[in-house]
Amino acid sequence: MRHAFAALASAILLVSCATTREQSLVDRAVDAMGGIERLAGIKTIVFKGSAKYWEPEQSDVPGGEMRFANESSFEGFIDAASRSTRIDWVRNFADPAPRTFTFSEIVTPEAGYVLGMDSNGRNAQSLKMSPPAHSMSGHRLATTIRELRRGGSAALMLAMQRNPDRVQPAGDIAGQPAVSFDGFLVAFDPATGLPARVRTLDYDNIWGDVAYDYVFSNWRDIGGRRIPMSRKAELNGRTVIDINFTDVRFNQAVDTTRLQVPAEIRQGAAKPAMRNVPHQWVMRRQFIGFYMDSDNASYDTRASQGLRLQEIAPGVHQVQGGTHNSLVVEMSDHLIVLDAPVTDTQSLWLVGATRAQFPGKPIRWLALTHHHMDHAGGLRGILAEGGVTLVVGQGAGAHFRRVLEAPATRNPDLAARSYHMTPILEVPESHMMSDSSGRQVIVYVMDNPHAKGMLMGWVPHARIGYVTDVWTPGPPLPAKPNPGLASVVNTVKRAGLQPERFAGGHGSTADYQMLTRLVGQ
Ligand SMILES: [Zn+2]
């Protein structure tokens, strides 16, 4: 007994004496933000503000300027007792098409819900419910909880102070002392002691290992508590979200009935995913309003049986069943793949499916229609096979060389390897790939409104063309032609082709005549 007491006493002594550099950074931040009592006394937070979003990997030029994605206004509240948050959004999208989505997000530690329509890529539950509503996938819930934690500076500092064992040393970030806590790297302003930057080390399907930061500024004293009214999200140092709070109030009464959701969507709601969460995919597809809220990034688990290789003509197969497709052409002793969409998970599925169906015929060519993250994000999964030449449109070669040289050690799908030796073929106007039997696949650079250096695929023996994002073959055509549709017809004309059908990186297949009738040539 005496021994136990002595051991306990010395353990307490050890803990209390060991005020490490890390703990003192946290203590100083808590004090600078108003002190432990004031921060622990927060029962509710009611807030209002606006945010702008940019998407770097939907640029016009490969590796070029980011596209402005949307401007949002939001208001909401956090209820500490139920650990719940509600945010009401009005999101005005600029790209790829102007539109407004009005919706609410309700997040608890156990489940998350979306009331209203927040995406063009709606899942089966959202489509079924009237008005639209669905429960968040485990991926989205885990991502949303992570981002709420990142932004909740007061709660984060308190959690760090209360859990000193989880606060670990970390290297300085941008000249500021930092600590590591629960997957976050938190850097502190040496002058004020306030938290300055909260970083996660994320994985981006194009750029590999990336740093994703919230940078806090515009600190305001609200009833003795200091709160950053501005936060910029930086992806590898580029601002992709600019958030400004216009009003923050503590301990106001909140209407917790506004946390209630319809029973139909409560049932079977996912828990937060614990592993391999594609945080960047989940967030950035929401930036542009095309996120498919599903625990499989490739397809809606509520509606699709999964991906499949669909033969659309002899030797021509389209990956169907997901939100994004590839085309696979069987040659005499190898395969040609057009597009590597979404993630390496989808590409690894494709590699496995083609190996099973075409034994002894490895993928030799991967041609990407364009550089956007949703159609190129699985490139490593195919190139990792080795012996594959990457084919890209004019002006995209240097971009993809940089992409393949970027470190990709955090890829949840694929072991890190070097892609330095991957041959990249940049197509100036057109490029023909052929086999010993004379079968051909030709890619043509398109003059188009969607992305510079975009390629159209052409399979002569089947008279099938392949395009992505300028025409979605399958669904009804719009009433009037648009520049994307016209660019398909113009490319066909310029190349002197006689297509029967087109297959798409989205959709399925459609008769080419439908398009010429609309575009009028
Ligand atoms: Zn695109």
Side-chain angles (χ1 to χ4, degrees):
M1 210 53 185
R2 280 181 68 127
H3 277 293
F5 275 122
L8 190 65
S10 61
I12 290 167
L13 196 69
L14 197 71
V15 168
S16 60
C17 285
T19 303
T20 59
R21 166 185 169 278
E22 288 70 42
Q23 276 171 265
S24 53
L25 285 167
V26 173
D27 291 345
R28 192 177 167 216
V30 169
D31 286 344
M33 290 180 70
I36 186 160
E37 264 171 51
R38 281 203 192 89
L39 298 191
I42 298 175
K43 304 295 175 214
T44 68
I45 309 175
V46 178
F47 54 85
K48 224 182 251 188
S50 63
K52 288 182 181 174
Y53 296 74
W54 290 264
E55 173 47 56
E57 298 317 316
Q58 295 287 335
S59 56
D60 179 33
V61 176
E65 208 178 303
M66 298 187 285
R67 268 195 183 145
F68 175 60
N70 82 75
E71 179 154 21
S72 298
S73 60
F74 60 85
E75 51 182 281
F77 66 84
I78 298 169
D79 175 47
S82 62
R83 297 165 72 201
S84 301
T85 302
R86 176 178 171 128
I87 307 178
D88 301 318
W89 294 95
V90 178
R91 194 159 274 179
N92 293 300
F93 292 92
D95 181 74
R99 62 219 193 273
T100 299
F101 291 152
T102 303
F103 61 98
S104 302
E105 290 180 302
I106 294 171
V107 182
T108 76
E110 289 81 36
Y113 306 98
V114 180
L115 308 180
M117 179 176 151
D118 70 327
S119 172
N120 289 92
R122 291 166 69 189
N123 67 24
Q125 190 177 42
S126 167
L127 289 165
K128 205 180 80 188
M129 292 287 294
S130 178
H134 70 275
S135 58
M136 290 183 182
S137 63
H139 283 172
R140 178 168 180 172
L141 179 58
T143 303
T144 308
I145 289 173
R146 184 184 85 161
E147 295 311 306
L148 287 171
R149 269 194 107 192
R150 186 199 300 273
S153 47
L156 187 63
M157 290 310 118
L158 267 187
M160 290 166 75
Q161 197 177 47
R162 285 172 176 165
N163 298 282
D165 51 317
R166 276 150 52 194
V167 179
Q168 300 293 325
D172 288 5
I173 300 175
Q176 293 176 322
V179 304
S180 145
F181 177 73
D182 285 7
F184 293 115
L185 296 169
V186 182
F188 299 88
D189 182 337
T192 61
L194 292 164
R197 186 181 290 265
V198 184
R199 169 170 292 183
T200 49
L201 301 176
D202 282 1
Y203 187 75
D204 176 284
N205 62 355
I206 297 295
W207 287 107
D209 300 346
V210 291
Y212 187 66
D213 297 357
Y214 260 22
V215 183
F216 296 136
S217 64
N218 190 18
W219 289 82
R220 193 175 299 167
D221 189 305
I222 300 168
R225 300 177 180 97
R226 295 191 74 198
I227 290 297
M229 299 296 276
S230 301
R231 298 106 197 261
K232 280 186 164 64
E234 292 182 0
L235 181 66
N236 272 358
R238 294 163 97 186
T239 299
V240 292
I241 318 179
D242 186 357
I243 307 167
N244 284 287
F245 286 83
T246 50
D247 194 13
V248 176
R249 291 163 197 238
F250 294 104
N251 297 340
Q252 305 266 302
V254 296
D255 180 3
T256 51
T257 62
R258 301 190 68 229
L259 296 169
Q260 288 167 7
V261 299
E264 297 102 292
I265 65 166
R266 248 191 351 254
Q267 217 165 32
K271 299 254 180 294
M274 302 301 284
R275 306 181 53 247
N276 289 357
V277 179
H279 294 110
Q280 286 297 324
W281 176 264
V282 174
M283 290 190 289
R284 302 211 352 245
R285 295 298 287 170
Q286 291 183 62
F287 285 17
I288 59 168
F290 277 90
Y291 179 56
M292 160 65 71
D293 198 349
S294 167
D295 275 321
N296 190 306
S298 296
Y299 58 88
D300 181 6
T301 52
R302 289 172 160 114
S304 172
Q305 301 294 308
L307 302 172
R308 63 181 184 275
L309 267 178
Q310 184 73 42
E311 187 162 27
I312 56 172
V316 185
H317 301 256
Q318 187 178 29
V319 175
Q320 295 182 357
T323 55
H324 295 68
N325 312 327
S326 298
L327 197 75
V328 179
V329 183
E330 184 185 9
M331 308 298 273
S332 57
D333 60 352
H334 65 276
L335 303 173
I336 297 172
V337 174
L338 276 68
D339 280 343
V342 188
T343 61
D344 291 320
T345 306
Q346 179 158 337
S347 290
L348 294 183
W349 173 87
L350 180 63
V351 168
T354 55
R355 240 188 230 149
Q357 193 158 341
F358 313 105
K361 293 192 177 183
I363 298 166
R364 285 278 170 259
W365 303 89
L366 168 63
L368 298 176
T369 55
H370 65 303
H371 64 283
H372 290 168
M373 69 182 286
D374 54 329
H375 295 283
L379 84 166
R380 290 179 185 85
I382 288 174
L383 299 178
E385 288 299 286
V388 187
T389 297
L390 179 65
V391 179
V392 298
Q394 188 175 37
H399 167 71
F400 279 104
R401 179 55 64 204
R402 280 199 305 279
V403 166
L404 292 181
E405 281 169 4
T409 63
R410 297 178 209 134
N411 191 339
D413 304 322
L414 214 55
R417 79 191 280 288
S418 166
Y419 297 92
H420 282 69
M421 301 300 285
T422 302
I424 299 179
L425 192 148
E426 188 178 293
V427 178
E429 256 179 67
S430 68
H431 177 70
M432 186 181 77
M433 297 159 275
S434 58
D435 67 11
S436 53
S437 77
R439 182 169 282 186
Q440 300 174 346
V441 175
I442 310 173
V443 288
Y444 295 94
V445 174
M446 301 181 77
D447 193 4
N448 80 97
H450 188 77
K452 290 275 179 308
M454 182 171 248
L455 295 176
M456 181 182 100
W458 171 239
V459 189
H461 82 270
R463 290 177 63 195
I464 285 182
Y466 177 84
V467 285
T468 297
D469 285 353
V470 282
W471 177 26
T472 296
L477 282 162
K480 285 183 187 165
N482 61 45
L485 298 173
S487 73
V488 179
V489 174
N490 290 338
T491 306
V492 166
K493 254 181 97 177
R494 191 167 46 85
L497 312 177
Q498 302 282 321
E500 253 170 32
R501 283 181 294 158
F502 263 80
H506 294 289
S508 52
T509 62
D511 286 344
Y512 180 62
Q513 257 195 356
M514 285 173 49
L515 186 66
T516 48
R517 269 202 299 270
L518 177 74
V519 176
Q521 301 196 29

